[in-house]
Amino acid sequence: MQRRARKSATITATVAGVTALGLAAVLTGCGLASGSDDVTLRLVAADYGDSGANSSKKYWDRLVAAYEKDHPGVTVDVSVYSWNDVDAKVKAMVDAGDAPDMAQIGAYADYAADDLLYKAGEVLSIPVEADFVPQLARAGQVRGLQYGMPFASSTRLLFYNKTLFARAGISAPTTWAELAKDARALKKDGVKYPYALPLGPEEAQAETLQWLLSGRGGYTQTVSSYSFDSAENVETLDWLKTDLVGKGLTGPVAPGRLNRATAFAAFAAGDVGMLNGHPSLMKTAAAKGVEFGMVPMPGRDGPSKTSLGVADWMTAFKRGGHGDEIGDFLDFVYSERNVLDFSHEYDLLPVTTSASLVMGTAKEDADLKPFLAELPLSESYPVGRTSWAKVSAQIKKRIGQAVTANGSPADVLGDLQTTATTLESAAGE
């Protein structure tokens, strides 16, 4: 590995330095004592907190302080931005020729395609690189090489309001037909959103993929190309349009205008019977006194065999030439304790196998175990394709139209397929 080669070269130089200059000079030159060779690493990170009290800035401040205490030659300068801004901030830095050493963001493929990133194996130690959850490690690959290092992950489950279900005399669904039957009973009982279907621009790509997977489809059913217009996908959206939206079972806001945050807030307010949710919804709903249950996403004939898995990514930029220092810091970041601390702080799933095994047996993590169980069965967005960011933007813009009264799932999916194929060809994929 390149990182090991650089360290070997450093050792050789160190031996020569000992002969010529003596031990004190070598220590200074290696950055183990203060001097001109001290290194400052710049990290740009996303904020997972929902208030100043749990801002990610506080998490990074604690972690960096612990690291710097044992690494006096290295300073880590962390800038934290909201998810609305962080990707654009990093892009602006890269475009200006001033890429950070590390960026914890939502996508990596464009930077990898432009040869701006270290491969994971060039910076991480072998045990840390091998510890990533396999599904997430594969999702971090571009053309078979891992550039994206998973940093946070989550899966989706169907949340349902136990109080509303008991009042309507129904139980949690396992199939689409049961979901529709439950939604009809909830609507009859006056529930505002029997099933909340957020296909608005905030995160339509997630809700859409969750449904397509439950119908045995997806965005990339083949290895080589997108598959938006597959028969399975068309059938899934046809069912949504006809059996849920068309029957008035998705609430007063058109799915194409309903965002995830609004749907989550409505669930916490007791106005939603069912919706797809990730782990953070548990805390939000519990804080409002909502009694809820969680089950795997219903499928056509039974519980879906595949769940949506979402990951955010750590990237290491080559511009500063600090591969060894980046690797040492990231080895610390991905230690079992630090991965668990982050996961607990923000109700997310660990991205390493070692931390996942600990969480899976810990009594205090019982509420996260159902999500953890879905991770080996999950499918991620095709983030390794450089076209994905633009394709995702088109999904957010168009997919809500497919389930309107005058919309055509086949036409919308066909248009998305044409757009995706064009973008894929332009990206040279």
Side-chain angles (χ1 to χ4, degrees), residues 13 58 106 110 121 136 166-167 213 218 308 322 355 359 367:
K58 293 188 175 182
D110 285 349
L136 302 179
R167 188 180 301 158
L213 292 172
L308 168 64
H322 296 144
M359 180 175 282
D367 55 349

Side-chain angles (χ1 to χ4, degrees), residues 29-379:
C30 289
L32 298 178
S34 60
S36 60
D37 288 331
D38 287 358
V39 170
T40 296
L41 298 177
R42 293 185 301 151
L43 165 64
V44 176
D47 195 349
Y48 289 82
D50 54 15
S51 68
N54 68 344
S55 167
S56 291
K57 180 69 164 59
K58 293 188 175 182
Y59 169 81
W60 285 111
D61 284 348
R62 293 193 303 267
L63 187 144
V64 166
Y67 179 78
E68 290 179 347
K69 180 179 178 181
D70 293 328
H71 299 80
V74 179
T75 299
V76 183
D77 181 12
V78 183
S79 300
V80 175
Y81 298 98
S82 75
W83 273 110
N84 293 330
D85 302 322
V86 66
D87 289 299
K89 291 284 186 181
V90 173
K91 184 178 186 302
M93 294 171 72
V94 172
D95 290 346
D98 189 33
D101 295 286
M102 295 164 285
Q104 185 267 300
I105 47 180
Y108 62 85
D110 285 349
Y111 300 132
D114 290 338
D115 195 29
L116 299 177
L117 302 180
Y118 287 111
K119 301 179 186 70
E122 292 177 321
V123 289
L124 298 176
S125 66
I126 292 173
V128 171
E129 182 187 7
D131 197 27
F132 288 128
V133 173
Q135 288 85 350
L136 302 179
R138 287 193 294 271
Q141 295 179 351
V142 175
R143 297 185 177 93
L145 298 173
Q146 186 180 355
Y147 293 90
M149 292 167 273
F151 183 75
S153 68
S154 68
T155 55
R156 299 293 195 269
L157 291 171
L158 183 77
F159 283 67
Y160 65 97
N161 185 310
K162 287 185 174 181
T163 302
L164 298 180
F165 267 58
R167 188 180 301 158
I170 54 179
S171 58
T174 61
T175 67
W176 288 357
E178 290 175 1
L179 187 149
K181 182 179 178 181
D182 285 350
R184 290 194 296 270
L186 291 165
K187 180 182 180 181
K188 184 178 180 180
D189 210 39
V191 175
K192 188 174 182 180
Y193 293 90
Y195 178 87
L197 183 66
L199 296 181
E202 180 188 4
E203 206 187 35
Q205 82 284 3
E207 182 73 12
T208 302
L209 183 53
Q210 181 70 74
W211 274 98
L212 297 185
L213 292 172
S214 75
R216 303 193 189 97
Y219 291 151
T220 52
Q221 290 168 257
T222 65
V223 175
S224 59
S225 63
Y226 290 98
S227 53
F228 283 98
D229 58 351
S230 70
E232 294 87 349
N233 290 347
V234 173
E235 289 173 5
T236 296
L237 291 192
D238 273 337
W239 187 88
L240 276 174
K241 175 187 174 181
T242 303
D243 290 68
L244 277 190
V245 182
K247 299 290 176 58
L249 302 177
T250 55
V253 180
R257 294 199 299 272
L258 181 65
N259 283 325
R260 183 197 67 187
T262 303
F264 278 20
F267 186 83
D271 293 331
V272 174
M274 299 173 279
L275 84 172
N276 282 315
H278 52 59
S280 71
L281 181 56
M282 294 188 297
K283 182 181 294 184
T284 303
K288 295 291 186 179
V290 174
E291 293 189 19
F292 59 88
M294 302 177 298
V295 294
M297 175 68 181
R300 187 178 293 278
D301 303 312
S304 177
K305 293 181 171 58
T306 309
S307 174
L308 168 64
V310 177
D312 303 321
W313 304 97
M314 180 68 76
T315 56
F317 284 85
K318 296 193 292 186
R319 179 183 177 277
H322 296 144
D324 283 339
E325 292 83 3
I326 290 171
D328 288 334
F329 177 65
L330 290 181
D331 279 358
F332 180 74
V333 169
Y334 284 110
S335 67
E336 180 182 296
R337 177 179 176 180
N338 287 330
V339 170
L340 283 170
D341 283 350
F342 181 85
S343 300
H344 289 146
E345 180 70 29
Y346 298 108
D347 291 321
L348 292 166
L349 302 181
V351 296
T352 62
T353 300
S354 60
S356 296
L357 290 173
V358 173
M359 180 175 282
T361 58
K363 291 182 179 180
E364 62 269 26
D365 293 324
D367 55 349
L368 288 171
K369 288 179 184 178
F371 295 95
L372 197 61
E374 292 291 302
L375 194 55
L377 309 174
S378 66
E379 181 173 318

